[in-house]
Every structure is written in C-alpha cells, then in structure tokens.
Coordinates of all heavy atoms in Angstrom, one line a residue:
E22 N -9.6 -9.1 6.9 CA -8.5 -8.7 6.1 C -8.9 -8.0 4.8 O -10.0 -8.2 4.3 CB -7.6 -9.9 5.6 CG -8.3 -10.9 4.7 CD -7.4 -12.0 4.3 OE1 -6.2 -11.9 4.5 OE2 -7.9 -13.0 3.7
F23 N -8.1 -7.1 4.4 CA -8.3 -6.3 3.2 C -8.3 -7.1 1.9 O -7.4 -8.0 1.8 CB -7.3 -5.1 3.1 CG -7.3 -4.4 1.8 CD1 -8.3 -3.5 1.5 CD2 -6.3 -4.7 0.9 CE1 -8.3 -2.9 0.2 CE2 -6.2 -4.0 -0.3 CZ -7.2 -3.1 -0.7
V24 N -9.2 -6.8 1.0 CA -9.2 -7.6 -0.3 C -8.9 -6.6 -1.4 O -8.0 -6.8 -2.2 CB -10.5 -8.3 -0.5 CG1 -10.6 -8.9 -1.9 CG2 -10.8 -9.3 0.6
A25 N -9.7 -5.6 -1.6 CA -9.5 -4.6 -2.7 C -10.2 -3.3 -2.4 O -11.1 -3.2 -1.5 CB -10.2 -5.2 -4.0
A26 N -9.7 -2.2 -3.0 CA -10.3 -0.9 -2.8 C -10.3 -0.2 -4.2 O -9.5 -0.5 -5.1 CB -9.5 -0.1 -1.8
I27 N -11.2 0.8 -4.2 CA -11.4 1.6 -5.5 C -11.7 3.0 -5.1 O -12.5 3.3 -4.2 CB -12.5 0.9 -6.4 CG1 -12.5 1.6 -7.7 CG2 -13.8 0.9 -5.7 CD1 -13.4 0.8 -8.7
S28 N -11.2 3.9 -5.9 CA -11.5 5.4 -5.7 C -12.9 5.7 -6.3 O -13.5 4.8 -7.0 CB -10.4 6.2 -6.4 OG -10.4 6.0 -7.8
W29 N -13.4 6.9 -6.1 CA -14.7 7.3 -6.5 C -14.8 7.2 -8.0 O -15.8 6.7 -8.5 CB -15.0 8.7 -6.1 CG -16.2 9.4 -6.8 CD1 -16.2 10.3 -7.7 CD2 -17.5 9.0 -6.5 NE1 -17.4 10.6 -8.1 CE2 -18.3 9.9 -7.4 CE3 -18.2 8.1 -5.7 CZ2 -19.7 9.8 -7.4 CZ3 -19.6 8.1 -5.7 CH2 -20.3 8.9 -6.5
S30 N -13.8 7.6 -8.8 CA -13.9 7.6 -10.2 C -13.7 6.2 -10.8 O -14.0 6.0 -12.0 CB -12.9 8.6 -10.8 OG -11.6 8.1 -10.6
G31 N -13.1 5.3 -10.0 CA -12.7 4.0 -10.5 C -11.4 4.0 -11.1 O -10.9 2.9 -11.5
G32 N -10.7 5.1 -11.2 CA -9.4 5.2 -11.8 C -8.3 4.7 -11.0 O -7.2 4.4 -11.6
N33 N -8.5 4.5 -9.7 CA -7.4 4.0 -8.9 C -7.9 2.8 -8.1 O -9.0 2.8 -7.5 CB -7.0 5.1 -7.9 CG -5.7 4.7 -7.2 OD1 -5.0 3.8 -7.5 ND2 -5.4 5.5 -6.1
T34 N -7.2 1.7 -8.2 CA -7.6 0.4 -7.5 C -6.4 -0.1 -6.8 O -5.2 0.1 -7.2 CB -8.1 -0.6 -8.5 OG1 -7.2 -1.0 -9.5 CG2 -9.4 -0.1 -9.1
Y35 N -6.6 -0.9 -5.8 CA -5.6 -1.5 -5.0 C -6.0 -2.9 -4.5 O -7.2 -3.1 -4.1 CB -5.2 -0.6 -3.8 CG -4.1 -1.1 -3.0 CD1 -2.8 -1.2 -3.5 CD2 -4.3 -1.5 -1.6 CE1 -1.7 -1.7 -2.7 CE2 -3.2 -2.0 -0.9 CZ -1.9 -2.1 -1.4 OH -0.9 -2.5 -0.6
Y36 N -5.1 -3.9 -4.6 CA -5.5 -5.3 -4.2 C -4.5 -5.9 -3.3 O -3.3 -5.6 -3.3 CB -5.5 -6.2 -5.5 CG -6.5 -5.7 -6.6 CD1 -6.1 -4.9 -7.6 CD2 -7.8 -6.2 -6.5 CE1 -7.0 -4.5 -8.5 CE2 -8.7 -5.9 -7.5 CZ -8.3 -5.0 -8.5 OH -9.2 -4.6 -9.5
A37 N -5.0 -6.7 -2.4 CA -4.2 -7.6 -1.6 C -3.4 -8.5 -2.5 O -3.9 -9.0 -3.5 CB -5.0 -8.4 -0.6
D38 N -2.2 -8.8 -2.1 CA -1.3 -9.7 -2.9 C -2.0 -11.1 -3.1 O -1.8 -11.7 -4.2 CB 0.0 -9.9 -2.2 CG 0.9 -8.7 -2.3 OD1 0.6 -7.8 -3.2 OD2 1.9 -8.6 -1.5
S39 N -2.7 -11.5 -2.1 CA -3.3 -12.8 -2.2 C -4.4 -13.0 -3.3 O -4.7 -14.1 -3.7 CB -4.0 -13.2 -0.9 OG -5.0 -12.3 -0.5
V40 N -5.0 -11.8 -3.8 CA -6.0 -11.9 -4.8 C -5.6 -11.2 -6.1 O -6.4 -11.3 -7.1 CB -7.3 -11.3 -4.3 CG1 -7.7 -11.9 -2.9 CG2 -7.2 -9.8 -4.1
K41 N -4.5 -10.6 -6.1 CA -4.0 -9.8 -7.3 C -4.0 -10.8 -8.5 O -3.4 -11.9 -8.4 CB -2.7 -9.2 -7.0 CG -2.3 -8.1 -8.0 CD -1.0 -7.4 -7.6 CE -1.2 -6.7 -6.3 NZ 0.0 -5.9 -5.9
G42 N -4.5 -10.3 -9.6 CA -4.6 -11.1 -10.8 C -5.8 -12.1 -10.9 O -6.0 -12.6 -12.0
R43 N -6.5 -12.3 -9.8 CA -7.7 -13.1 -9.8 C -9.0 -12.3 -9.6 O -10.0 -12.7 -10.1 CB -7.5 -14.2 -8.7 CG -6.4 -15.1 -8.9 CD -6.4 -16.3 -7.9 NE -6.3 -15.8 -6.5 CZ -7.3 -16.1 -5.6 NH1 -8.3 -16.8 -5.9 NH2 -7.1 -15.6 -4.4
F44 N -8.9 -11.3 -8.7 CA -10.1 -10.5 -8.4 C -10.0 -9.1 -9.1 O -8.9 -8.6 -9.3 CB -10.2 -10.3 -6.9 CG -10.5 -11.5 -6.1 CD1 -10.4 -12.8 -6.6 CD2 -10.8 -11.3 -4.7 CE1 -10.7 -13.9 -5.9 CE2 -11.1 -12.4 -4.0 CZ -11.1 -13.7 -4.5
T45 N -11.1 -8.6 -9.4 CA -11.2 -7.3 -10.0 C -12.3 -6.5 -9.3 O -13.5 -6.9 -9.3 CB -11.5 -7.3 -11.5 OG1 -10.5 -8.1 -12.2 CG2 -11.6 -5.9 -12.1
I46 N -12.0 -5.3 -8.8 CA -13.0 -4.4 -8.2 C -13.4 -3.4 -9.2 O -12.5 -2.9 -10.0 CB -12.4 -3.8 -6.9 CG1 -13.6 -3.0 -6.2 CG2 -11.2 -2.9 -7.2 CD1 -13.2 -2.5 -4.8
S47 N -14.6 -3.0 -9.3 CA -15.1 -2.0 -10.2 C -16.3 -1.3 -9.6 O -16.9 -1.8 -8.6 CB -15.5 -2.6 -11.6 OG -16.5 -3.6 -11.5
R48 N -16.8 -0.3 -10.2 CA -18.0 0.4 -9.7 C -18.8 1.0 -10.9 O -18.2 1.4 -11.9 CB -17.7 1.4 -8.6 CG -16.9 2.6 -9.1 CD -16.3 3.4 -7.9 NE -17.3 3.8 -7.0 CZ -17.1 4.3 -5.8 NH1 -15.9 4.3 -5.3 NH2 -18.1 4.7 -5.0
D49 N -20.1 1.2 -10.6 CA -21.0 1.9 -11.6 C -21.7 2.9 -10.7 O -22.7 2.5 -10.0 CB -21.9 0.9 -12.3 CG -22.8 1.6 -13.3 OD1 -22.9 2.8 -13.3 OD2 -23.3 0.9 -14.2
N50 N -21.2 4.1 -10.7 CA -21.8 5.1 -9.8 C -23.3 5.5 -10.2 O -24.1 5.9 -9.3 CB -20.9 6.3 -9.7 CG -19.7 6.1 -9.0 OD1 -19.6 5.1 -8.2 ND2 -18.7 6.9 -9.2
A51 N -23.6 5.3 -11.4 CA -25.0 5.6 -11.9 C -25.9 4.6 -11.2 O -27.1 4.9 -11.1 CB -25.1 5.6 -13.4
K52 N -25.4 3.4 -11.0 CA -26.2 2.4 -10.3 C -26.0 2.3 -8.8 O -26.6 1.4 -8.2 CB -25.9 1.0 -11.0 CG -26.3 0.9 -12.4 CD -26.1 -0.5 -13.0 CE -26.4 -0.6 -14.4 NZ -27.9 -0.4 -14.7
N53 N -25.1 3.1 -8.3 CA -24.8 3.1 -6.9 C -24.3 1.7 -6.4 O -24.7 1.3 -5.4 CB -25.9 3.6 -6.0 CG -26.3 5.0 -6.3 OD1 -25.5 5.9 -6.5 ND2 -27.6 5.3 -6.4
T54 N -23.5 1.1 -7.2 CA -23.1 -0.2 -7.0 C -21.6 -0.4 -7.2 O -21.0 0.1 -8.1 CB -23.8 -1.2 -7.9 OG1 -25.2 -1.1 -7.7 CG2 -23.5 -2.7 -7.6
V55 N -21.0 -1.2 -6.3 CA -19.6 -1.6 -6.4 C -19.5 -3.1 -6.5 O -20.3 -3.8 -5.9 CB -18.8 -1.2 -5.1 CG1 -17.3 -1.6 -5.2 CG2 -18.8 0.3 -4.9
Y56 N -18.6 -3.6 -7.4 CA -18.6 -5.0 -7.7 C -17.2 -5.6 -7.3 O -16.2 -4.9 -7.3 CB -18.8 -5.2 -9.2 CG -20.1 -4.7 -9.7 CD1 -20.1 -3.4 -10.4 CD2 -21.2 -5.4 -9.6 CE1 -21.3 -2.9 -10.9 CE2 -22.4 -4.9 -10.1 CZ -22.4 -3.6 -10.7 OH -23.6 -3.1 -11.2
L57 N -17.2 -6.9 -7.1 CA -16.0 -7.6 -6.9 C -16.1 -8.9 -7.7 O -16.8 -9.8 -7.4 CB -15.7 -8.0 -5.5 CG -14.4 -8.7 -5.2 CD1 -13.2 -7.7 -5.5 CD2 -14.3 -9.2 -3.8
Q58 N -15.4 -8.9 -8.9 CA -15.4 -10.1 -9.7 C -14.3 -11.0 -9.2 O -13.1 -10.6 -9.2 CB -15.1 -9.7 -11.2 CG -15.0 -10.9 -12.1 CD -16.3 -11.7 -12.3 OE1 -17.4 -11.0 -12.5 NE2 -16.3 -13.0 -12.2
M59 N -14.6 -12.3 -8.9 CA -13.7 -13.2 -8.3 C -13.5 -14.4 -9.2 O -14.5 -15.1 -9.5 CB -14.1 -13.7 -6.9 CG -14.4 -12.5 -6.0 SD -14.8 -13.1 -4.3 CE -16.4 -13.9 -4.6
N60 N -12.3 -14.6 -9.8 CA -12.1 -15.7 -10.7 C -11.0 -16.6 -10.1 O -10.3 -16.2 -9.1 CB -11.5 -15.2 -12.0 CG -12.5 -14.3 -12.8 OD1 -13.8 -14.5 -12.7 ND2 -12.0 -13.3 -13.5
S61 N -10.9 -17.8 -10.6 CA -9.9 -18.8 -10.1 C -10.0 -19.0 -8.6 O -9.0 -18.9 -7.9 CB -8.5 -18.4 -10.6 OG -8.5 -18.3 -12.0
L62 N -11.2 -19.1 -8.1 CA -11.4 -19.2 -6.7 C -10.7 -20.4 -6.1 O -10.6 -21.5 -6.6 CB -12.8 -19.2 -6.3 CG -13.5 -17.8 -6.4 CD1 -15.0 -17.9 -6.5 CD2 -13.1 -16.9 -5.2
K63 N -10.2 -20.2 -4.9 CA -9.5 -21.2 -4.1 C -10.2 -21.5 -2.8 O -10.9 -20.6 -2.3 CB -8.0 -20.8 -3.8 CG -7.2 -20.4 -5.0 CD -5.9 -19.8 -4.6 CE -5.1 -19.4 -5.8 NZ -3.8 -18.8 -5.4
P64 N -10.0 -22.6 -2.2 CA -10.7 -22.9 -0.9 C -10.3 -21.8 0.2 O -11.1 -21.5 1.0 CB -10.2 -24.3 -0.5 CG -10.0 -24.9 -1.8 CD -9.4 -23.9 -2.7
E65 N -9.1 -21.3 0.1 CA -8.7 -20.3 1.1 C -9.4 -19.0 0.9 O -9.2 -18.1 1.7 CB -7.1 -20.1 1.1 CG -6.6 -19.9 -0.3 CD -6.0 -21.2 -0.9 OE1 -6.7 -22.2 -0.9 OE2 -4.9 -21.2 -1.5
D66 N -10.1 -18.8 -0.2 CA -10.9 -17.6 -0.4 C -12.2 -17.7 0.4 O -12.9 -16.7 0.5 CB -11.2 -17.4 -1.8 CG -10.0 -17.1 -2.7 OD1 -9.1 -16.3 -2.2 OD2 -9.9 -17.6 -3.8
T67 N -12.5 -18.8 1.0 CA -13.8 -19.0 1.8 C -13.8 -18.0 2.9 O -12.9 -17.9 3.8 CB -13.9 -20.4 2.3 OG1 -14.0 -21.3 1.2 CG2 -15.1 -20.5 3.2

C-alpha cells in the first residue's frame, strides 16, 4: 500500500489518510536521500 510521495523539489507531498499527520516525507537531493519520519507509531504500522 501507498504511504507517502514527494516531488523532485520537495515542494509537493502526498500522504495516505492512515498516516497523515503522523508521517513526514522529505528529501535532501544534495545527499541523494529521501526520508520518512514516522511519529506516533501504531502496531498497525508494522
């Protein structure tokens, strides 16, 4: 299932309803890295 997506610039993001408000997607193109910060984790996130 889909969780989150981000555009190249990072200016556009989209989240599944199940994680909205808890997860944050970001990226650092200089480091060639995309991140997913997950807060308030629930067992159903396993």
Side-chain angles (χ1 to χ4, degrees):
E22 66 176 348
F23 168 76
V24 176
I27 188 168
S28 61
W29 167 252
S30 69
N33 192 14
T34 59
Y35 183 65
Y36 299 91
D38 289 341
S39 59
V40 307
K41 194 173 299 181
R43 299 189 298 122
F44 291 11
T45 302
I46 188 171
S47 62
R48 68 193 301 165
D49 185 343
N50 290 339
K52 297 182 181 294
N53 298 320
T54 302
V55 180
Y56 304 97
L57 184 68
Q58 178 67 46
M59 305 184 295
N60 298 326
S61 301
L62 283 162
K63 306 173 181 179
E65 51 262 46
D66 294 319
T67 295

